[in-house]
Amino acid sequence: MNHRKWWAIAAIIWMTAIFFFTQLPYFTGEKTSEVIQKVVVAEQKTINKTPSTDHTDINKLNLIVRKATHIVVFGILAILLYKALETNRFAYILSWTLTVLYAITDEWHQSFMPGRVAAYQDVLFDSVGALVALFILVLIRNNYKLVKNIRT
């Protein structure tokens, strides 16, 4: 099997994982907030011996963790799709477009899950994550080509 097929299989597996994680009730905003609250309280007990948590700070941290997860997860998907489509002239555009389309369908899928909500803001974070990942990939590839040219 050629390398492109392996990358395509990896992308399909990654999309399947996203699909299944979307169904789980453990990844709602409320559940992640509870986990963050427990971690912060445990950490404060260790450091100060008197826990004091501000719900505003917990909510901010929860938002950062959740949105960073969107950026990373869909950034990885964009890279996997790019590697599967690398021989195509428009591989960057196609991989970004496919990632955004998958993000849209993922949010639509979430709208049917109990305790989950669909939000267009999540699609925006997903698309930015894909764009940033592909931009970093371009920088790495260009740097590699530059170093390779200097050595020869």
Side-chain angles (χ1 to χ4, degrees):
M1 204 182 279
N2 89 30
H3 283 11
R4 303 292 168 246
K5 289 181 184 176
W6 285 112
W7 287 110
I9 290 169
I12 291 167
I13 290 170
W14 192 252
M15 288 188 284
T16 304
I18 292 170
F19 179 84
F20 284 115
F21 278 108
T22 298
Q23 295 186 122
L24 297 175
Y26 311 111
F27 297 103
T28 63
E30 183 179 311
K31 294 288 185 181
T32 56
S33 185
E34 289 172 10
V35 170
I36 290 170
Q37 174 92 22
K38 288 177 185 177
V39 169
V40 168
V41 167
E43 189 64 28
Q44 285 181 344
K45 282 182 181 178
T46 304
I47 296 170
N48 300 336
K49 306 294 186 213
T50 55
S52 64
T53 57
D54 182 12
H55 288 289
T56 305
D57 292 338
I58 297 295
N59 289 339
K60 286 178 188 175
L61 187 57
N62 184 31
L63 181 69
I64 291 168
V65 167
R66 293 175 57 73
K67 300 313 171 191
T69 301
H70 276 271
I71 289 169
V72 170
V73 166
F74 283 88
I76 292 170
L77 177 59
I79 290 170
L80 293 173
L81 288 170
Y82 170 78
K83 293 299 288 179
L85 300 167
E86 195 170 20
T87 56
N88 188 299
R89 180 178 174 191
F90 302 105
Y92 287 110
I93 295 168
L94 281 171
S95 60
W96 183 80
T97 303
L98 289 172
T99 301
V100 172
L101 288 173
Y102 188 77
I104 292 168
T105 62
D106 179 56
E107 287 302 313
W108 180 69
H109 170 241
Q110 271 191 50
S111 70
F112 297 105
M113 297 297 108
R116 304 299 302 262
V117 293
Y120 73 90
Q121 296 93 335
D122 287 347
V123 175
L124 293 175
F125 278 98
D126 299 340
S127 62
V128 166
L131 192 63
V132 168
L134 292 169
F135 181 71
I136 291 170
L137 188 63
V138 167
L139 291 176
I140 290 169
R141 291 180 61 118
N142 288 344
N143 189 33
Y144 175 76
K145 287 177 185 177
L146 180 67
V147 170
K148 188 177 174 183
N149 287 337
I150 290 173
R151 289 184 182 167
T152 57

PDB file of all heavy atoms in Angstrom, residues 120-149:
ATOM      1  N   TYR A 120     -21.489  27.598  16.004  1.00  0.00           N
ATOM      2  CA  TYR A 120     -20.708  27.996  14.838  1.00  0.00           C
ATOM      3  C   TYR A 120     -19.321  28.478  15.257  1.00  0.00           C
ATOM      4  O   TYR A 120     -18.367  28.388  14.484  1.00  0.00           O
ATOM      5  CB  TYR A 120     -21.443  29.057  14.012  1.00  0.00           C
ATOM      6  CG  TYR A 120     -21.475  30.420  14.647  1.00  0.00           C
ATOM      7  CD1 TYR A 120     -20.472  31.342  14.402  1.00  0.00           C
ATOM      8  CD2 TYR A 120     -22.514  30.790  15.494  1.00  0.00           C
ATOM      9  CE1 TYR A 120     -20.490  32.591  14.993  1.00  0.00           C
ATOM     10  CE2 TYR A 120     -22.545  32.028  16.083  1.00  0.00           C
ATOM     11  CZ  TYR A 120     -21.529  32.938  15.830  1.00  0.00           C
ATOM     12  OH  TYR A 120     -21.548  34.166  16.427  1.00  0.00           O
ATOM     13  N   GLN A 121     -19.197  28.971  16.510  1.00  0.00           N
ATOM     14  CA  GLN A 121     -17.889  29.410  16.999  1.00  0.00           C
ATOM     15  C   GLN A 121     -16.898  28.258  17.022  1.00  0.00           C
ATOM     16  O   GLN A 121     -15.709  28.458  16.761  1.00  0.00           O
ATOM     17  CB  GLN A 121     -17.984  30.017  18.410  1.00  0.00           C
ATOM     18  CG  GLN A 121     -18.802  31.274  18.497  1.00  0.00           C
ATOM     19  CD  GLN A 121     -20.261  31.011  18.851  1.00  0.00           C
ATOM     20  OE1 GLN A 121     -20.791  29.928  18.606  1.00  0.00           O
ATOM     21  NE2 GLN A 121     -20.923  32.007  19.400  1.00  0.00           N
ATOM     22  N   ASP A 122     -17.379  27.066  17.322  1.00  0.00           N
ATOM     23  CA  ASP A 122     -16.499  25.897  17.321  1.00  0.00           C
ATOM     24  C   ASP A 122     -15.978  25.602  15.919  1.00  0.00           C
ATOM     25  O   ASP A 122     -14.813  25.237  15.750  1.00  0.00           O
ATOM     26  CB  ASP A 122     -17.222  24.668  17.886  1.00  0.00           C
ATOM     27  CG  ASP A 122     -17.405  24.751  19.396  1.00  0.00           C
ATOM     28  OD1 ASP A 122     -16.771  25.622  20.030  1.00  0.00           O
ATOM     29  OD2 ASP A 122     -18.177  23.945  19.931  1.00  0.00           O
ATOM     30  N   VAL A 123     -16.821  25.792  14.916  1.00  0.00           N
ATOM     31  CA  VAL A 123     -16.377  25.601  13.531  1.00  0.00           C
ATOM     32  C   VAL A 123     -15.301  26.628  13.190  1.00  0.00           C
ATOM     33  O   VAL A 123     -14.328  26.312  12.503  1.00  0.00           O
ATOM     34  CB  VAL A 123     -17.563  25.683  12.548  1.00  0.00           C
ATOM     35  CG1 VAL A 123     -17.078  25.610  11.104  1.00  0.00           C
ATOM     36  CG2 VAL A 123     -18.567  24.573  12.817  1.00  0.00           C
ATOM     37  N   LEU A 124     -15.461  27.836  13.693  1.00  0.00           N
ATOM     38  CA  LEU A 124     -14.434  28.863  13.464  1.00  0.00           C
ATOM     39  C   LEU A 124     -13.104  28.459  14.099  1.00  0.00           C
ATOM     40  O   LEU A 124     -12.043  28.590  13.475  1.00  0.00           O
ATOM     41  CB  LEU A 124     -14.889  30.215  14.003  1.00  0.00           C
ATOM     42  CG  LEU A 124     -16.069  30.865  13.274  1.00  0.00           C
ATOM     43  CD1 LEU A 124     -16.495  32.149  13.983  1.00  0.00           C
ATOM     44  CD2 LEU A 124     -15.733  31.132  11.828  1.00  0.00           C
ATOM     45  N   PHE A 125     -13.142  27.970  15.324  1.00  0.00           N
ATOM     46  CA  PHE A 125     -11.914  27.503  15.978  1.00  0.00           C
ATOM     47  C   PHE A 125     -11.317  26.311  15.233  1.00  0.00           C
ATOM     48  O   PHE A 125     -10.093  26.220  15.077  1.00  0.00           O
ATOM     49  CB  PHE A 125     -12.171  27.143  17.447  1.00  0.00           C
ATOM     50  CG  PHE A 125     -12.168  28.331  18.358  1.00  0.00           C
ATOM     51  CD1 PHE A 125     -13.352  28.935  18.742  1.00  0.00           C
ATOM     52  CD2 PHE A 125     -10.970  28.863  18.811  1.00  0.00           C
ATOM     53  CE1 PHE A 125     -13.350  30.044  19.574  1.00  0.00           C
ATOM     54  CE2 PHE A 125     -10.953  29.972  19.643  1.00  0.00           C
ATOM     55  CZ  PHE A 125     -12.148  30.566  20.028  1.00  0.00           C
ATOM     56  N   ASP A 126     -12.175  25.411  14.766  1.00  0.00           N
ATOM     57  CA  ASP A 126     -11.707  24.251  14.003  1.00  0.00           C
ATOM     58  C   ASP A 126     -11.004  24.692  12.721  1.00  0.00           C
ATOM     59  O   ASP A 126      -9.934  24.190  12.377  1.00  0.00           O
ATOM     60  CB  ASP A 126     -12.878  23.330  13.644  1.00  0.00           C
ATOM     61  CG  ASP A 126     -13.599  22.780  14.872  1.00  0.00           C
ATOM     62  OD1 ASP A 126     -12.995  22.783  15.969  1.00  0.00           O
ATOM     63  OD2 ASP A 126     -14.755  22.361  14.727  1.00  0.00           O
ATOM     64  N   SER A 127     -11.611  25.653  12.022  1.00  0.00           N
ATOM     65  CA  SER A 127     -11.028  26.110  10.760  1.00  0.00           C
ATOM     66  C   SER A 127      -9.732  26.881  10.998  1.00  0.00           C
ATOM     67  O   SER A 127      -8.782  26.740  10.224  1.00  0.00           O
ATOM     68  CB  SER A 127     -12.026  26.952   9.971  1.00  0.00           C
ATOM     69  OG  SER A 127     -12.377  28.116  10.685  1.00  0.00           O
ATOM     70  N   VAL A 128      -9.667  27.645  12.076  1.00  0.00           N
ATOM     71  CA  VAL A 128      -8.419  28.343  12.416  1.00  0.00           C
ATOM     72  C   VAL A 128      -7.344  27.327  12.786  1.00  0.00           C
ATOM     73  O   VAL A 128      -6.185  27.457  12.380  1.00  0.00           O
ATOM     74  CB  VAL A 128      -8.644  29.360  13.557  1.00  0.00           C
ATOM     75  CG1 VAL A 128      -7.337  29.844  14.142  1.00  0.00           C
ATOM     76  CG2 VAL A 128      -9.470  30.538  13.068  1.00  0.00           C
ATOM     77  N   GLY A 129      -7.713  26.299  13.538  1.00  0.00           N
ATOM     78  CA  GLY A 129      -6.754  25.245  13.884  1.00  0.00           C
ATOM     79  C   GLY A 129      -6.189  24.568  12.659  1.00  0.00           C
ATOM     80  O   GLY A 129      -4.980  24.325  12.562  1.00  0.00           O
ATOM     81  N   ALA A 130      -7.054  24.288  11.691  1.00  0.00           N
ATOM     82  CA  ALA A 130      -6.605  23.662  10.448  1.00  0.00           C
ATOM     83  C   ALA A 130      -5.682  24.604   9.686  1.00  0.00           C
ATOM     84  O   ALA A 130      -4.635  24.185   9.170  1.00  0.00           O
ATOM     85  CB  ALA A 130      -7.811  23.283   9.591  1.00  0.00           C
ATOM     86  N   LEU A 131      -6.050  25.871   9.625  1.00  0.00           N
ATOM     87  CA  LEU A 131      -5.245  26.855   8.906  1.00  0.00           C
ATOM     88  C   LEU A 131      -3.871  27.032   9.549  1.00  0.00           C
ATOM     89  O   LEU A 131      -2.846  27.041   8.861  1.00  0.00           O
ATOM     90  CB  LEU A 131      -5.989  28.191   8.851  1.00  0.00           C
ATOM     91  CG  LEU A 131      -5.439  29.244   7.915  1.00  0.00           C
ATOM     92  CD1 LEU A 131      -5.521  28.761   6.476  1.00  0.00           C
ATOM     93  CD2 LEU A 131      -6.218  30.535   8.087  1.00  0.00           C
ATOM     94  N   VAL A 132      -3.843  27.131  10.861  1.00  0.00           N
ATOM     95  CA  VAL A 132      -2.566  27.284  11.579  1.00  0.00           C
ATOM     96  C   VAL A 132      -1.685  26.051  11.385  1.00  0.00           C
ATOM     97  O   VAL A 132      -0.481  26.170  11.128  1.00  0.00           O
ATOM     98  CB  VAL A 132      -2.813  27.562  13.081  1.00  0.00           C
ATOM     99  CG1 VAL A 132      -1.543  27.430  13.898  1.00  0.00           C
ATOM    100  CG2 VAL A 132      -3.437  28.944  13.271  1.00  0.00           C
ATOM    101  N   ALA A 133      -2.271  24.870  11.491  1.00  0.00           N
ATOM    102  CA  ALA A 133      -1.494  23.640  11.312  1.00  0.00           C
ATOM    103  C   ALA A 133      -0.900  23.558   9.910  1.00  0.00           C
ATOM    104  O   ALA A 133       0.275  23.207   9.745  1.00  0.00           O
ATOM    105  CB  ALA A 133      -2.370  22.420  11.591  1.00  0.00           C
ATOM    106  N   LEU A 134      -1.697  23.901   8.913  1.00  0.00           N
ATOM    107  CA  LEU A 134      -1.198  23.868   7.538  1.00  0.00           C
ATOM    108  C   LEU A 134      -0.143  24.943   7.303  1.00  0.00           C
ATOM    109  O   LEU A 134       0.839  24.715   6.589  1.00  0.00           O
ATOM    110  CB  LEU A 134      -2.355  24.010   6.547  1.00  0.00           C
ATOM    111  CG  LEU A 134      -3.305  22.816   6.509  1.00  0.00           C
ATOM    112  CD1 LEU A 134      -4.559  23.151   5.702  1.00  0.00           C
ATOM    113  CD2 LEU A 134      -2.623  21.578   5.972  1.00  0.00           C
ATOM    114  N   PHE A 135      -0.306  26.099   7.918  1.00  0.00           N
ATOM    115  CA  PHE A 135       0.691  27.161   7.803  1.00  0.00           C
ATOM    116  C   PHE A 135       2.019  26.712   8.431  1.00  0.00           C
ATOM    117  O   PHE A 135       3.087  26.917   7.857  1.00  0.00           O
ATOM    118  CB  PHE A 135       0.187  28.445   8.469  1.00  0.00           C
ATOM    119  CG  PHE A 135       1.144  29.586   8.375  1.00  0.00           C
ATOM    120  CD1 PHE A 135       1.371  30.224   7.158  1.00  0.00           C
ATOM    121  CD2 PHE A 135       1.824  30.027   9.492  1.00  0.00           C
ATOM    122  CE1 PHE A 135       2.266  31.277   7.065  1.00  0.00           C
ATOM    123  CE2 PHE A 135       2.715  31.084   9.417  1.00  0.00           C
ATOM    124  CZ  PHE A 135       2.941  31.717   8.196  1.00  0.00           C
ATOM    125  N   ILE A 136       1.940  26.085   9.592  1.00  0.00           N
ATOM    126  CA  ILE A 136       3.152  25.563  10.242  1.00  0.00           C
ATOM    127  C   ILE A 136       3.799  24.502   9.353  1.00  0.00           C
ATOM    128  O   ILE A 136       5.024  24.460   9.211  1.00  0.00           O
ATOM    129  CB  ILE A 136       2.829  25.010  11.647  1.00  0.00           C
ATOM    130  CG1 ILE A 136       2.472  26.169  12.582  1.00  0.00           C
ATOM    131  CG2 ILE A 136       3.985  24.190  12.211  1.00  0.00           C
ATOM    132  CD1 ILE A 136       1.900  25.735  13.912  1.00  0.00           C
ATOM    133  N   LEU A 137       2.982  23.665   8.740  1.00  0.00           N
ATOM    134  CA  LEU A 137       3.502  22.647   7.823  1.00  0.00           C
ATOM    135  C   LEU A 137       4.232  23.298   6.649  1.00  0.00           C
ATOM    136  O   LEU A 137       5.309  22.845   6.263  1.00  0.00           O
ATOM    137  CB  LEU A 137       2.362  21.756   7.326  1.00  0.00           C
ATOM    138  CG  LEU A 137       2.754  20.531   6.520  1.00  0.00           C
ATOM    139  CD1 LEU A 137       3.589  19.574   7.357  1.00  0.00           C
ATOM    140  CD2 LEU A 137       1.504  19.839   6.016  1.00  0.00           C
ATOM    141  N   VAL A 138       3.674  24.364   6.094  1.00  0.00           N
ATOM    142  CA  VAL A 138       4.327  25.091   5.002  1.00  0.00           C
ATOM    143  C   VAL A 138       5.672  25.632   5.474  1.00  0.00           C
ATOM    144  O   VAL A 138       6.686  25.510   4.774  1.00  0.00           O
ATOM    145  CB  VAL A 138       3.436  26.243   4.482  1.00  0.00           C
ATOM    146  CG1 VAL A 138       4.220  27.195   3.592  1.00  0.00           C
ATOM    147  CG2 VAL A 138       2.242  25.696   3.729  1.00  0.00           C
ATOM    148  N   LEU A 139       5.697  26.229   6.667  1.00  0.00           N
ATOM    149  CA  LEU A 139       6.951  26.775   7.196  1.00  0.00           C
ATOM    150  C   LEU A 139       8.005  25.686   7.382  1.00  0.00           C
ATOM    151  O   LEU A 139       9.173  25.870   7.026  1.00  0.00           O
ATOM    152  CB  LEU A 139       6.706  27.491   8.524  1.00  0.00           C
ATOM    153  CG  LEU A 139       5.908  28.783   8.464  1.00  0.00           C
ATOM    154  CD1 LEU A 139       5.677  29.324   9.874  1.00  0.00           C
ATOM    155  CD2 LEU A 139       6.580  29.815   7.585  1.00  0.00           C
ATOM    156  N   ILE A 140       7.595  24.559   7.918  1.00  0.00           N
ATOM    157  CA  ILE A 140       8.534  23.455   8.136  1.00  0.00           C
ATOM    158  C   ILE A 140       9.061  22.935   6.806  1.00  0.00           C
ATOM    159  O   ILE A 140      10.260  22.711   6.646  1.00  0.00           O
ATOM    160  CB  ILE A 140       7.855  22.324   8.948  1.00  0.00           C
ATOM    161  CG1 ILE A 140       7.620  22.786  10.387  1.00  0.00           C
ATOM    162  CG2 ILE A 140       8.695  21.050   8.919  1.00  0.00           C
ATOM    163  CD1 ILE A 140       6.740  21.858  11.196  1.00  0.00           C
ATOM    164  N   ARG A 141       8.161  22.740   5.843  1.00  0.00           N
ATOM    165  CA  ARG A 141       8.582  22.229   4.525  1.00  0.00           C
ATOM    166  C   ARG A 141       9.519  23.209   3.827  1.00  0.00           C
ATOM    167  O   ARG A 141      10.511  22.811   3.235  1.00  0.00           O
ATOM    168  CB  ARG A 141       7.371  21.937   3.662  1.00  0.00           C
ATOM    169  CG  ARG A 141       6.579  20.739   4.174  1.00  0.00           C
ATOM    170  CD  ARG A 141       5.414  20.515   3.276  1.00  0.00           C
ATOM    171  NE  ARG A 141       5.927  20.232   1.948  1.00  0.00           N
ATOM    172  CZ  ARG A 141       5.729  19.106   1.294  1.00  0.00           C
ATOM    173  NH1 ARG A 141       5.005  18.174   1.842  1.00  0.00           N
ATOM    174  NH2 ARG A 141       6.220  18.911   0.098  1.00  0.00           N
ATOM    175  N   ASN A 142       9.208  24.505   3.883  1.00  0.00           N
ATOM    176  CA  ASN A 142      10.073  25.506   3.251  1.00  0.00           C
ATOM    177  C   ASN A 142      11.432  25.578   3.936  1.00  0.00           C
ATOM    178  O   ASN A 142      12.457  25.731   3.273  1.00  0.00           O
ATOM    179  CB  ASN A 142       9.406  26.882   3.248  1.00  0.00           C
ATOM    180  CG  ASN A 142       8.269  26.952   2.255  1.00  0.00           C
ATOM    181  OD1 ASN A 142       8.136  26.112   1.372  1.00  0.00           O
ATOM    182  ND2 ASN A 142       7.427  27.943   2.418  1.00  0.00           N
ATOM    183  N   ASN A 143      11.446  25.463   5.250  1.00  0.00           N
ATOM    184  CA  ASN A 143      12.701  25.463   5.997  1.00  0.00           C
ATOM    185  C   ASN A 143      13.535  24.238   5.635  1.00  0.00           C
ATOM    186  O   ASN A 143      14.740  24.327   5.445  1.00  0.00           O
ATOM    187  CB  ASN A 143      12.434  25.513   7.498  1.00  0.00           C
ATOM    188  CG  ASN A 143      13.695  25.723   8.300  1.00  0.00           C
ATOM    189  OD1 ASN A 143      14.612  26.397   7.845  1.00  0.00           O
ATOM    190  ND2 ASN A 143      13.745  25.127   9.475  1.00  0.00           N
ATOM    191  N   TYR A 144      12.882  23.096   5.507  1.00  0.00           N
ATOM    192  CA  TYR A 144      13.567  21.869   5.129  1.00  0.00           C
ATOM    193  C   TYR A 144      14.183  22.003   3.737  1.00  0.00           C
ATOM    194  O   TYR A 144      15.331  21.616   3.509  1.00  0.00           O
ATOM    195  CB  TYR A 144      12.590  20.687   5.171  1.00  0.00           C
ATOM    196  CG  TYR A 144      13.190  19.397   4.679  1.00  0.00           C
ATOM    197  CD1 TYR A 144      14.080  18.674   5.468  1.00  0.00           C
ATOM    198  CD2 TYR A 144      12.884  18.905   3.412  1.00  0.00           C
ATOM    199  CE1 TYR A 144      14.642  17.491   5.016  1.00  0.00           C
ATOM    200  CE2 TYR A 144      13.434  17.728   2.947  1.00  0.00           C
ATOM    201  CZ  TYR A 144      14.320  17.021   3.751  1.00  0.00           C
ATOM    202  OH  TYR A 144      14.868  15.860   3.288  1.00  0.00           O
ATOM    203  N   LYS A 145      13.413  22.564   2.803  1.00  0.00           N
ATOM    204  CA  LYS A 145      13.921  22.762   1.442  1.00  0.00           C
ATOM    205  C   LYS A 145      15.102  23.733   1.441  1.00  0.00           C
ATOM    206  O   LYS A 145      16.078  23.532   0.719  1.00  0.00           O
ATOM    207  CB  LYS A 145      12.821  23.282   0.529  1.00  0.00           C
ATOM    208  CG  LYS A 145      11.787  22.250   0.165  1.00  0.00           C
ATOM    209  CD  LYS A 145      10.692  22.863  -0.689  1.00  0.00           C
ATOM    210  CE  LYS A 145       9.593  21.870  -0.953  1.00  0.00           C
ATOM    211  NZ  LYS A 145       8.483  22.466  -1.720  1.00  0.00           N
ATOM    212  N   LEU A 146      15.018  24.783   2.250  1.00  0.00           N
ATOM    213  CA  LEU A 146      16.106  25.764   2.329  1.00  0.00           C
ATOM    214  C   LEU A 146      17.374  25.121   2.860  1.00  0.00           C
ATOM    215  O   LEU A 146      18.455  25.300   2.290  1.00  0.00           O
ATOM    216  CB  LEU A 146      15.680  26.949   3.218  1.00  0.00           C
ATOM    217  CG  LEU A 146      16.690  28.062   3.405  1.00  0.00           C
ATOM    218  CD1 LEU A 146      16.911  28.778   2.077  1.00  0.00           C
ATOM    219  CD2 LEU A 146      16.193  29.028   4.452  1.00  0.00           C
ATOM    220  N   VAL A 147      17.239  24.350   3.930  1.00  0.00           N
ATOM    221  CA  VAL A 147      18.405  23.671   4.516  1.00  0.00           C
ATOM    222  C   VAL A 147      18.974  22.665   3.516  1.00  0.00           C
ATOM    223  O   VAL A 147      20.197  22.558   3.370  1.00  0.00           O
ATOM    224  CB  VAL A 147      18.023  22.988   5.847  1.00  0.00           C
ATOM    225  CG1 VAL A 147      19.137  22.078   6.338  1.00  0.00           C
ATOM    226  CG2 VAL A 147      17.663  24.030   6.893  1.00  0.00           C
ATOM    227  N   LYS A 148      18.099  21.952   2.834  1.00  0.00           N
ATOM    228  CA  LYS A 148      18.541  20.958   1.837  1.00  0.00           C
ATOM    229  C   LYS A 148      19.315  21.644   0.703  1.00  0.00           C
ATOM    230  O   LYS A 148      20.344  21.155   0.258  1.00  0.00           O
ATOM    231  CB  LYS A 148      17.343  20.219   1.299  1.00  0.00           C
ATOM    232  CG  LYS A 148      17.690  19.053   0.419  1.00  0.00           C
ATOM    233  CD  LYS A 148      16.396  18.337   0.001  1.00  0.00           C
ATOM    234  CE  LYS A 148      16.712  17.247  -0.992  1.00  0.00           C
ATOM    235  NZ  LYS A 148      15.498  16.599  -1.463  1.00  0.00           N
ATOM    236  N   ASN A 149      18.851  22.800   0.251  1.00  0.00           N
ATOM    237  CA  ASN A 149      19.520  23.543  -0.812  1.00  0.00           C
ATOM    238  C   ASN A 149      20.874  24.101  -0.356  1.00  0.00           C
ATOM    239  O   ASN A 149      21.810  24.167  -1.136  1.00  0.00           O
ATOM    240  CB  ASN A 149      18.645  24.671  -1.334  1.00  0.00           C
ATOM    241  CG  ASN A 149      17.496  24.158  -2.168  1.00  0.00           C
ATOM    242  OD1 ASN A 149      17.553  23.062  -2.711  1.00  0.00           O
ATOM    243  ND2 ASN A 149      16.448  24.956  -2.276  1.00  0.00           N
TER     244      ASN A 149
END
